[in-house]
Amino acid sequence: MSDTIVSRLRSLPRQDRRIVIFLAVAALVALIIGLAGGLLTALVRAGFLPVLPESGYRFLSVHGLSAFFYWLYFAQAALLLGFSAAERGNGGGKTGLVKHPLALSGSIAMVLGFGLGLLASVMGSPRYTTARPTYWLMNR
């Protein structure tokens, strides 16, 4: 029982560590994409980027989807899977995920959902906003 959480995380099977690292990296990528979307939104709103108003709303949708939703989903999933796999070995038993294939398929489904959400934000009509796109046209 003298094991620390760090030593149990280090003793995870390689395949379980890969899932946790994959989700942590996905969280950072989603955060960076969200920050870039926020920066582009600010540049469009300030008039530094001459694009259509709908593009500004698309950037805002990318920012909202990435920075407010998916990076948190990925980070929470990485923490929950990592801690649950490590806590399994708390009594001196073996560590690791009980249902590794389920964790892997869930992680892949999350990344696919993120990709499809970004694709829909860029190609479709702008989402995750309450103002009309004509609002920006009238207030430029």
Side-chain angles (χ1 to χ4, degrees):
M1 287 265 235
S2 64
D3 288 356
T4 63
I5 189 73
V6 175
S7 66
R8 289 195 308 267
L9 283 170
R10 285 186 182 143
S11 69
L12 287 178
R14 180 178 298 221
Q15 60 187 3
D16 293 344
R17 269 187 285 146
R18 284 184 178 165
I19 291 178
V20 173
I21 291 170
F22 171 72
L23 287 171
V25 168
L28 291 175
V29 168
L31 184 60
I32 290 168
I33 290 172
L35 291 173
L39 176 65
L40 289 172
T41 301
L43 292 175
V44 168
R45 182 68 180 114
F48 293 126
L49 289 178
V51 297
L52 295 173
E54 293 88 21
S55 296
Y57 273 89
R58 287 189 177 102
F59 297 147
L60 184 63
S61 295
V62 167
H63 168 68
L65 187 70
S66 298
F68 294 121
F69 295 120
Y70 274 99
W71 92 268
L72 286 172
Y73 294 158
F74 290 135
Q76 289 173 358
L79 286 171
L80 287 172
L81 286 177
F83 287 151
S84 66
E87 282 301 311
R88 183 173 174 221
N90 194 9
K94 71 174 198 167
T95 60
L97 294 170
V98 176
K99 306 266 184 188
H100 176 80
L102 185 62
L104 181 62
S105 63
S107 301
I108 292 170
M110 287 175 65
V111 170
L112 286 175
F114 176 58
L116 291 174
L118 285 179
L119 190 66
S121 293
V122 172
M123 293 181 66
S125 64
R127 304 276 183 226
Y128 304 114
T129 181
T130 57
R132 298 183 320 269
T134 55
Y135 176 80
W136 278 15
L137 282 174
M138 295 170 21
N139 292 313
R140 281 192 114 179

